[in-house]
Amino acid sequence: MWSIRDCALINPLGADMAEQTAESLPLTESPTRTQSTFYRIWDSDVCYSFRSSKVTIVAAVVTAVIFFLAIFAPWVAPHRPFDVATIDLMDAELPPSWEQEGDSRFLIGTDNLGRDLLSTILYGTRISLIVGFLSVIFGLVVGVTLGLMSGYMGGYVDAFIMRVAEIQLSIPGILVALLLAGTLRGVISAEAYNEAIIYVLVLTIGTSIWPQFARTVRGSTLVERNKEYVLAARVIGLSRFSIMLRHVLPNVMGPVLVIATINLAIAILTEATLSFLGVGVPPTQPSLGTLINEGQNYLFSGLWWITIFPGAVLAILVLAVNLLGDWLRDALNPKLR
Amino acid sequence: MIAFLVRRLLQAIAVMAVVALCAFFMFQFVGDPVNQMVAEDATDEDREYLREQLGLNDPIPVQFGKFALNAAQGNFGVSYQHKRAVSTLILERMPATLELAVTAAILAALLGVPMGVYTGLRRDGFASKVIMTLSLIGISLPTFLIGILLIYLFAVILGWLPSFGRGEVVQVGAWESNFLSASGLKSIILPAITLALFQMTFIMRLIRSEMLEVLRTDFIKFARARGLSNRAVNYGHALKNTLVPVITIIGLQLGSLIAFAIITETVFQWPGMGQLFLQAVQVVDIPIMSAYLILIAFFFVIINLIVDMLYYVVDPRLRVDQPTGGGHG
């Protein structure tokens, strides 16, 4: 975990951390104090391991490109796939433009409703990413809070939270998400469900991943709790709450970052799976999973592009995020030094 | 040993109680079962009668007691959608899922373990690098996409294998089996590969990292220094010592095979429990959902217990009484 202190890019957290950084860096290491922050980041361990791994650089670039295209989908996309006025059913099921019957207006063809596939995929990736990020943030906030409480308070709080986490961890996340989604479907009407689908998905997917955060944070909190700086904070009379939040929390965030990255890939996959199974995003505002599900029906008639392209984007996105997560885990792991 | 077993057993019962409580609350909060069961024009008296009949006017703890008792006897009520007993529905579907899951598990272990050992022993070899790269792709491809790709390749383009269903099944007593007819065997290939692929990569990567770890230890160096053959060192000492975590994880993965079967069964329209469950989720058929939840939890608890006991057999160090009772590796 030392390495993250060297890289302000990755952990711009709390003042506590900044002080430690200053202390832990011997002055001799940076002879010219005027060196720019940029150079210090560039020269740090984490960034060095990033620069020296070609696979990671490619993964980072791919991720960045997909994120960029998805975020700016409304400006980048050549068509507006959800504007009924611009869709012509005559254009339906056109193959990619390089095939014989292809149309140069639609680079990678159109789907069964005549929507430009490229634009639909861009918007779909956007929804997948939104759900993925929000789910991870939700799971992270819940998990880190409970893990911190569990580790710092101990006793019954700890026992209760950890038992719940253990029980849930023994059931696969996708099953938890499916059960929650099914139950919510029963509680609210179908219309309300489809309208609030993004929040429903964030809630279900976030709930299915919180235990990992909780367990990791609890583990590192147990270590941090007995360190001298916590003792010092207690001696000067800080409240439990502020010690947990301002002092312990910044020091347990390293592993959390790794888990968050890996879980972003898992969350994107879970969303796609739920949508594929028909309990996720509805076809009117499709995500990547919904697109694959719809295209699956046309595979038998040889309309491969409706499924294969969204599938490829999903696979590449998840692969790139996974690679970043792998690299981050190794880069932040002091054991591998 | 006895104390250890009793402790694990009590924990297992506690887990089942909590899961049963979750399933019970699903009933409590989701919709009104009476509305699901009576005709549109039923009078209030009819409803009240049914309410009393179903015991819905009892206090909540009493209702939960009845629910748990029924569940323990395998009675999960009547499906809203199919109007048949949930237990029969599940029993009908269970052989299909179990055959699929077991085939996939065997496939995953038979391919995953040797590949893991190979990549662990020759970590810098060309074949190892190819296998590792492929495994990363295997982990990143979602199960349903693998299924679709396999269907497209082997069913649509090549036309070698069927793309959906179980084919001809042969009745053996109450069990419908896929393994006794040619079309049944052909039908199980694609779904089993789909289901196995993720587990296989998982097992392989696990064994590889465990092997790498064990091969670095002193006792392996010592074994080599004693002049033991490579085979004895690699398999007799190294592989044997990787088995504890591997057994745990493979055991726990068996449970997730059943969960992932939901996806595989949907892609291949395989008439198993997963498909039943997914249809139940889509139409909010609470009895099936809660029965499935309890059943899966039960599978997991049993598997966990078996894994704990295997631990005990494989690793002599655990036989020394431990205050906390190991298990979660």
Side-chain angles (χ1 to χ4, degrees):
Chain A
M1 270 164 283
W2 282 101
S3 50
I4 72 166
R5 295 185 179 149
D6 306 338
C7 194
L9 183 78
I10 285 184
N11 206 329
L13 283 162
D16 188 49
M17 188 82 117
E19 279 158 30
Q20 291 210 355
T21 313
E23 281 162 20
S24 63
L25 282 178
L27 282 175
T28 47
E29 215 174 77
S30 48
T32 46
R33 298 285 288 165
T34 48
Q35 270 170 350
S36 65
T37 332
F38 175 77
Y39 181 77
R40 271 179 48 204
I41 293 170
W42 179 252
D43 201 36
S44 68
D45 286 352
V46 171
C47 292
Y48 175 76
S49 87
F50 179 78
R51 276 180 294 153
S52 52
S53 162
K54 279 191 193 114
V55 178
T56 312
I57 296 178
V58 172
V61 170
V62 168
T63 315
V65 168
I66 294 180
F67 279 19
F68 177 84
L69 290 178
I71 292 168
F72 296 103
W75 294 276
V76 179
H79 294 261
R80 291 166 65 196
F82 308 119
D83 186 355
V84 186
T86 65
I87 299 172
D88 190 350
L89 213 52
M90 292 296 285
D91 294 333
E93 302 175 3
L94 287 174
S97 52
W98 57 83
E99 299 229 334
Q100 251 181 4
E101 297 113 59
D103 188 320
S104 58
R105 282 176 302 155
F106 308 107
L107 183 63
I108 57 172
T110 58
D111 69 0
N112 51 315
L113 298 173
R115 300 185 290 206
D116 173 46
L117 198 55
L118 181 63
S119 313
T120 325
I121 288 177
L122 288 178
Y123 278 91
T125 314
R126 190 175 148 106
I127 292 178
S128 293
L129 281 177
I130 290 174
V131 173
F133 266 104
L134 290 181
S135 310
V136 170
I137 291 172
F138 181 76
L140 187 145
V141 170
V142 172
V144 169
T145 311
L146 291 176
L148 207 55
M149 277 168 60
S150 196
Y152 196 75
M153 292 179 175
Y156 287 117
V157 180
D158 180 30
F160 179 73
I161 294 176
M162 281 306 117
R163 282 302 92 72
V164 174
E166 259 170 35
I167 292 177
Q168 206 199 305
L169 266 184
S170 68
I171 300 173
I174 182 78
L175 195 61
V176 174
L178 269 176
L179 278 166
L180 269 175
T183 316
L184 280 171
R185 271 176 168 241
V187 177
I188 55 182
S189 71
E191 266 171 44
Y193 184 88
N194 278 345
E195 228 160 69
I197 185 65
I198 293 202
Y199 304 102
V200 172
L201 286 174
V202 167
L203 183 74
T204 51
I205 300 171
T207 311
S208 72
I209 58 180
W210 75 268
Q212 290 188 39
F213 288 104
R215 274 169 61 123
T216 316
V217 168
R218 173 179 176 269
S220 6
T221 305
L222 285 178
V223 175
E224 294 295 323
R225 181 170 76 165
N226 298 323
K227 287 200 177 157
E228 281 178 3
Y229 73 93
V230 175
L231 197 68
R234 274 164 64 188
V235 167
I236 61 171
L238 288 183
S239 72
R240 248 182 176 189
F241 182 74
S242 86
I243 296 178
M244 274 200 282
L245 208 66
R246 306 234 356 238
H247 298 273
V248 178
L249 181 65
N251 286 302
V252 298
M253 285 307 275
V256 168
L257 198 71
V258 176
I259 300 184
T261 316
I262 293 169
N263 272 291
L264 177 63
I266 295 176
I268 292 173
L269 275 187
T270 312
E271 184 277 325
T273 307
L274 288 178
S275 296
F276 174 78
L277 294 177
V279 289
V281 188
T284 43
Q285 284 277 328
S287 74
L288 290 175
T290 324
L291 287 174
I292 296 169
N293 183 23
E294 297 212 307
Q296 186 202 6
N297 304 323
Y298 297 90
L299 205 55
F300 293 101
S301 23
L303 309 178
W304 54 272
W305 58 93
I306 306 182
T307 315
I308 301 297
F309 285 122
V313 172
L314 178 66
I316 292 172
L317 174 63
V318 173
L319 181 64
V321 175
N322 265 336
L323 284 171
L324 282 182
D326 271 2
W327 161 74
L328 206 57
R329 189 187 51 210
D330 294 346
L332 296 188
N333 188 349
K335 257 204 231 165
L336 292 178
R337 289 294 164 88
Chain B
M1 173 76 188
I2 302 283
F4 173 76
L5 264 187
V6 169
R7 200 163 43 223
R8 297 310 279 172
L9 216 61
L10 284 178
Q11 275 179 16
I13 292 170
V15 169
M16 283 313 295
V18 173
V19 171
L21 202 65
C22 291
F24 173 70
F25 277 116
M26 267 162 59
F27 268 112
Q28 285 291 313
F29 290 121
V30 183
D32 184 0
V34 174
N35 274 344
Q36 303 270 4
M37 295 167 89
V38 298
E40 287 283 311
D41 54 350
T43 60
D44 281 351
E45 284 89 56
D46 288 344
R47 285 166 192 268
E48 195 48 43
Y49 174 73
L50 195 62
R51 202 157 257 289
E52 195 61 44
Q53 278 276 302
L54 291 170
L56 292 175
N57 291 335
D58 295 342
I60 299 249
V62 176
Q63 284 193 42
F64 176 63
K66 280 186 185 162
F67 175 82
L69 214 63
N70 278 332
Q73 292 165 347
N75 181 3
F76 297 101
V78 175
S79 151
Y80 298 156
Q81 185 195 3
H82 300 272
K83 312 281 180 215
R84 292 172 60 201
V86 173
S87 47
T88 356
L89 281 170
I90 288 187
L91 277 181
E92 273 175 16
R93 304 283 194 118
M94 200 183 280
T97 299
L98 285 184
E99 283 193 348
L100 181 60
V102 170
T103 314
I106 294 173
L107 207 63
L110 280 185
L111 293 174
V113 175
M115 269 164 37
V117 173
Y118 179 81
T119 48
L121 292 176
R122 309 236 171 124
R123 59 183 298 193
D124 296 321
F126 179 70
S128 297
K129 289 205 169 125
V130 171
I131 292 176
M132 286 310 285
T133 313
L134 285 179
S135 82
L136 203 62
I137 295 171
I139 281 184
S140 301
L141 273 180
T143 313
F144 62 89
L145 202 55
I146 293 174
I148 291 175
L149 291 178
L150 286 178
I151 288 181
Y152 187 57
L153 185 60
F154 290 103
V156 178
I157 294 184
L158 298 171
W160 290 350
L161 297 164
S163 62
F164 65 89
R166 285 183 82 184
E168 254 173 67
V169 287
V170 177
Q171 198 87 18
V172 183
W175 187 280
E176 287 180 338
S177 178
N178 259 61
F179 298 118
L180 299 171
S181 74
S183 88
L185 277 175
K186 262 179 148 180
S187 303
I188 206 170
I189 296 176
L190 288 186
I193 292 179
T194 308
L195 193 53
L197 216 56
F198 180 78
Q199 308 295 334
M200 188 186 80
T201 46
F202 194 83
I203 291 174
M204 186 200 98
R205 290 172 78 98
L206 183 76
I207 296 224
R208 174 179 176 272
S209 65
E210 289 293 327
M211 282 293 273
L212 289 178
E213 200 127 300
V214 172
L215 284 173
R216 270 206 301 251
T217 54
D218 287 342
F219 77 88
I220 293 292
K221 282 182 196 143
F222 182 61
R224 289 205 196 285
R226 282 192 322 201
L228 294 181
S229 71
N230 264 338
R231 222 176 97 188
V233 174
N234 290 341
Y235 300 103
H237 289 76
L239 183 61
K240 214 170 158 193
N241 274 285
T242 64
L243 284 183
V244 174
V246 168
I247 288 177
T248 321
I249 304 283
I250 291 182
L252 295 178
Q253 289 296 309
L254 244 182
S256 61
L257 265 181
I258 293 171
F260 278 109
I262 298 173
I263 304 163
T264 315
E265 285 175 11
T266 309
V267 176
F268 290 94
Q269 294 166 40
W270 188 263
M273 292 191 298
Q275 210 191 27
L276 184 75
F277 170 72
L278 191 73
Q279 283 163 0
V281 168
Q282 280 163 350
V283 299
V284 199
D285 195 340
I286 296 290
I288 292 185
M289 281 164 65
S290 70
Y292 191 80
L293 171 64
I294 292 179
L295 199 73
I296 291 284
F298 186 68
F299 268 128
F300 272 101
V301 164
I302 296 286
I303 291 170
N304 256 321
L305 268 179
I306 296 174
V307 165
D308 276 344
M309 280 185 245
L310 278 182
Y311 242 53
Y312 210 81
V313 176
V314 174
D315 192 344
R317 281 169 297 186
L318 286 177
R319 282 176 220 162
V320 184
D321 243 12
Q322 279 186 338
T324 44
H328 296 276

